[in-house]
Amino acid sequence: MSMIFGGKIIKVDVLDEKGVPIISAEKNFVVPTNIAAGEDSIVMIKGRNLPEFDRNTFVLVVTTTKSGDRIQYNGAVSVSMDTQLNIKLLLSNDNQVLEERRRYFKLKVNEKGRLLFYVRDEQTVRYDDPLPITVLDINVGGVFLVIEDELMPDDLVCVELDLVENLPLNTVAKVLRVQRAPDGSVRGYGCEFQGLTGAQEDYIGKFIHRVQSEQRQKQVAEEEGNF
């Protein structure tokens, strides 16, 4: 039985057997691209002043991909030094991978951008001044846009999104649905990204990961403030 990581991994977390976080690495780690039962699959983390473990200490390894997948594996420490930690992933018949599928998880946001032009029935409509848009949710698959102009399903829109300061994302999306309020007014448009490059997927994935981290930190701070 083969296991394959679901997309480029941007983060590796190591937890103890009770699920308590020990290490969180967003760089300086190596993971196998394919994981097969019966073969050695080693996750390697390098750093400074890493916690040291006894050999064969049981741990949990959680990988996060740019598309939002979080997959948990059982592991055992094979090498432990203050500068390097190797963990052998355990993949036996009675020890299966636990998956939390979130490839198309939509992140609620409130980001700004611009509509540069759209294509309908092979006709291109351009704006003298880009039309302001608001992004209310986003994932690596697409966005939900609010805009003053009227769009139609199957329109191709060229948008520029201000997700990272001084580094806007310029891409094309296809309008899949028009969401309306009970009174018939348009609430917004659900759009699917078209032909994203690997670099653009990384850009969106890193943005989502950063916002999620900020939201978690805010939640922790609020919870601590209630004590």
Side-chain angles (χ1 to χ4, degrees):
M1 178 180 65
S2 296
M3 301 288 181
I4 301 176
F5 282 107
K8 181 179 178 180
I9 293 172
I10 60 174
K11 182 183 178 185
V12 173
D13 291 294
V14 180
L15 302 81
D16 68 15
E17 58 183 343
K18 295 181 180 179
V20 177
I22 301 172
I23 301 172
S24 181
E26 297 184 22
K27 59 181 180 179
N28 298 327
F29 62 79
V30 178
V31 295
T33 55
N34 295 281
I35 302 175
E39 298 181 3
D40 287 344
S41 296
I42 304 295
V43 172
M44 180 187 303
I45 299 174
K46 294 187 177 182
R48 295 181 179 178
N49 301 317
L50 296 175
E52 296 188 41
F53 303 89
D54 292 334
R55 183 178 175 83
N56 293 324
T57 297
F58 179 84
V59 294
L60 301 173
V61 176
V62 178
T63 61
T64 301
T65 71
K66 64 183 179 183
S67 55
D69 291 344
R70 298 181 68 250
I71 305 177
Q72 178 176 291
Y73 301 92
N74 296 328
V77 174
S78 57
V79 174
S80 181
M81 301 179 290
D82 65 346
T83 57
Q84 182 172 325
L85 176 64
N86 290 7
I87 300 171
K88 180 177 180 180
L89 302 183
L90 307 175
L91 297 170
S92 62
N93 291 333
D94 59 351
N95 190 11
Q96 301 297 320
V97 174
L98 301 177
E99 296 190 51
E100 179 187 5
R101 302 301 297 171
R102 299 196 303 162
R103 178 173 298 279
Y104 298 110
F105 171 81
K106 291 184 178 180
L107 179 70
K108 297 296 181 182
V109 294
N110 189 349
E111 302 292 335
K112 303 302 180 183
R114 291 157 296 285
L115 174 61
L116 305 181
F117 63 85
Y118 68 85
V119 179
R120 179 182 301 162
D121 298 329
E122 299 184 358
Q123 298 295 317
T124 300
V125 177
R126 298 184 181 275
Y127 299 95
D128 292 335
D129 295 311
L131 203 62
I133 59 178
T134 301
V135 177
L136 295 185
D137 67 44
I138 187 170
N139 59 26
V140 294
V143 289
F144 185 79
L145 304 176
V146 176
I147 189 171
E148 291 184 0
D149 206 354
E150 183 175 353
L151 299 175
M152 297 177 61
D154 295 328
D155 283 353
L156 293 176
V157 296
C158 180
V159 295
E160 193 173 65
L161 308 179
D162 298 325
L163 304 182
V164 178
E165 187 175 2
N166 298 324
L167 189 63
L169 172 69
N170 189 304
T171 189
V172 174
K174 181 179 181 179
V175 178
L176 298 184
R177 72 182 191 280
V178 180
Q179 185 170 317
R180 297 183 181 275
D183 63 2
S185 61
V186 175
R187 285 181 171 172
Y189 301 93
C191 305
E192 180 183 54
F193 289 129
Q194 303 290 297
L196 288 179
T197 65
Q200 288 174 322
E201 289 184 350
D202 286 346
Y203 175 102
I204 297 170
K206 289 178 180 178
F207 167 77
I208 290 174
H209 178 63
R210 175 175 63 80
V211 174
Q212 288 176 325
S213 297
E214 291 172 352
Q215 291 176 346
R216 285 194 296 268
Q217 291 172 4
K218 182 179 179 181
Q219 182 179 359
V220 170
E222 290 176 348
E223 292 174 351
E224 290 178 348
N226 290 330
F227 283 102

